[in-house]
Amino acid sequence: MRLRLVALLCAGGAMSITQLTSGTVITRQAITKHLGVLEAAGLVRNVKVGRERLWEFEASQVVEARRSLDEIAQQWDHALAKLKRAVES
Amino acid sequence: MTTSTDSIERKILLKASRSRVWRALSDAEEFGDWFGVDFKGETMLAGRHVRGRVTYPGYEHLPFEVFIERMEPERLLSWRWHPAALDPAVDYSTEPTTLVVFRLEEAEGGVLLTVVESGLDAIPLARRATVFRLNTSGWDEQMLNIEKHVARA
């Protein structure tokens, strides 16, 4: 269920609870509970647009973690290049 | 648990003997030469800290410290550090560290060196991003320094 929610939000951008429940038998209450759990885990967040509350996938955490990983990798590559020069000279 | 953002692994083939590579890793001063730290007068010993200063231009005021975990001559060296410890006014000693493991393996024409840094997920994201940006900007200049150093030697 939660995975399905994340998949929906990833694919569809920001969505309201009404949109998330449409075509399903899941209650608003159940959806709200699941979204609360996902929000606490930093995977989704809600934004208020007019009178409507929309939910969206919180990509920044994951993206930021991957970006810093790339930078750390680059940093190690530089360090190892210097090590290579030092030991091969 | 190791997630995809928690650790990083790099491999490099070094055309040198195992003993030469081991010296460049485990001799504190030699290590400092290529890593960008002044470790003058320091010795690496398992279970002990090695303390020095950063030598990246512009960051010379920063202390640099690693805690040596394991030393298996010509095979394995590991240490823990605070990879984002950039503010001299902050005491990082109680914060999580990352583990860096260097592994040496015999390879065709030299030594295959593997570096794994793990525990990154425990470091606050904001700090990770800032620090690595700063360090990366200093690397190119350091590369030139090393080239000069090696050419003189």
Side-chain angles (χ1 to χ4, degrees):
Chain A
M1 179 63 224
R2 283 177 201 150
L3 194 62
R4 192 182 148 263
L5 276 177
V6 170
L8 264 177
L9 293 174
C10 274
M15 291 169 97
S16 66
I17 290 187
T18 309
Q19 286 172 308
L20 288 167
T21 50
S22 84
T24 71
V25 293
I26 305 146
T27 62
R28 289 183 68 88
Q29 206 184 1
I31 287 273
T32 307
K33 206 181 122 203
H34 287 307
L35 287 170
V37 173
L38 292 171
E39 186 179 30
L43 288 171
V44 302
R45 67 172 169 193
N46 66 79
V47 284
K48 220 169 168 185
V49 180
R51 275 183 302 171
E52 217 176 11
R53 191 170 292 283
L54 299 180
W55 289 84
E56 62 184 13
F57 180 57
E58 174 69 274
S60 62
Q61 287 274 337
V62 180
V63 170
E64 189 65 14
R66 289 200 181 281
R67 202 181 60 81
S68 32
L69 209 65
D70 287 344
E71 286 177 19
I72 300 162
Q74 210 178 12
Q75 197 183 337
W76 275 115
D77 286 343
H78 282 300
L80 293 175
K82 291 199 294 180
L83 170 66
K84 191 174 171 70
R85 279 164 209 259
V87 299
E88 291 182 359
S89 60
Chain B
M1 196 184 86
T2 301
T3 63
S4 58
T5 55
D6 188 62
S7 74
I8 192 147
E9 180 183 293
R10 293 328 245 186
K11 283 178 189 285
I12 190 168
L13 178 71
L14 302 169
K15 295 184 199 102
S17 69
R18 253 174 126 107
S19 59
R20 177 70 193 92
V21 175
W22 179 251
R23 185 154 52 87
L25 290 172
S26 63
D27 179 291
E29 287 188 25
E30 262 212 49
F31 171 86
D33 282 346
W34 63 268
F35 201 78
V37 195
D38 181 3
F39 270 161
K40 221 178 179 70
E42 291 287 312
T43 307
M44 286 194 191
L45 284 172
R48 300 278 287 272
H49 284 97
V50 185
R51 295 184 174 93
R53 302 221 145 247
V54 171
T55 55
Y56 313 118
Y59 301 97
E60 295 96 333
H61 61 291
L62 295 172
F64 185 90
E65 179 180 303
V66 297
F67 177 78
I68 309 295
E69 268 204 353
R70 283 168 68 189
M71 281 183 95
E72 296 171 25
E74 302 194 6
R75 222 183 68 74
L76 185 145
L77 173 72
S78 66
W79 39 258
R80 293 195 159 272
W81 66 334
H82 296 282
L86 270 195
D87 184 349
V90 173
D91 175 16
Y92 294 98
S93 59
T94 57
E95 297 199 4
T97 52
T98 59
L99 175 67
V100 176
V101 181
F102 294 92
R103 226 177 270 278
L104 285 72
E105 285 168 281
E106 211 69 61
E108 174 104 30
V111 175
L112 182 66
L113 181 71
T114 307
V115 185
V116 177
E117 180 166 13
S118 59
L120 292 163
D121 278 348
I123 308 298
L125 262 184
R127 179 131 47 89
R128 265 187 265 177
T130 319
V131 163
F132 295 120
R133 208 157 39 236
L134 286 174
N135 280 1
T136 309
S137 66
W139 281 117
D140 291 344
E141 202 158 340
Q142 279 307 106
M143 291 283 278
L144 294 174
N145 289 347
I146 279 287
E147 272 187 76
K148 280 185 228 153
H149 170 85
V150 169
R152 270 202 313 269

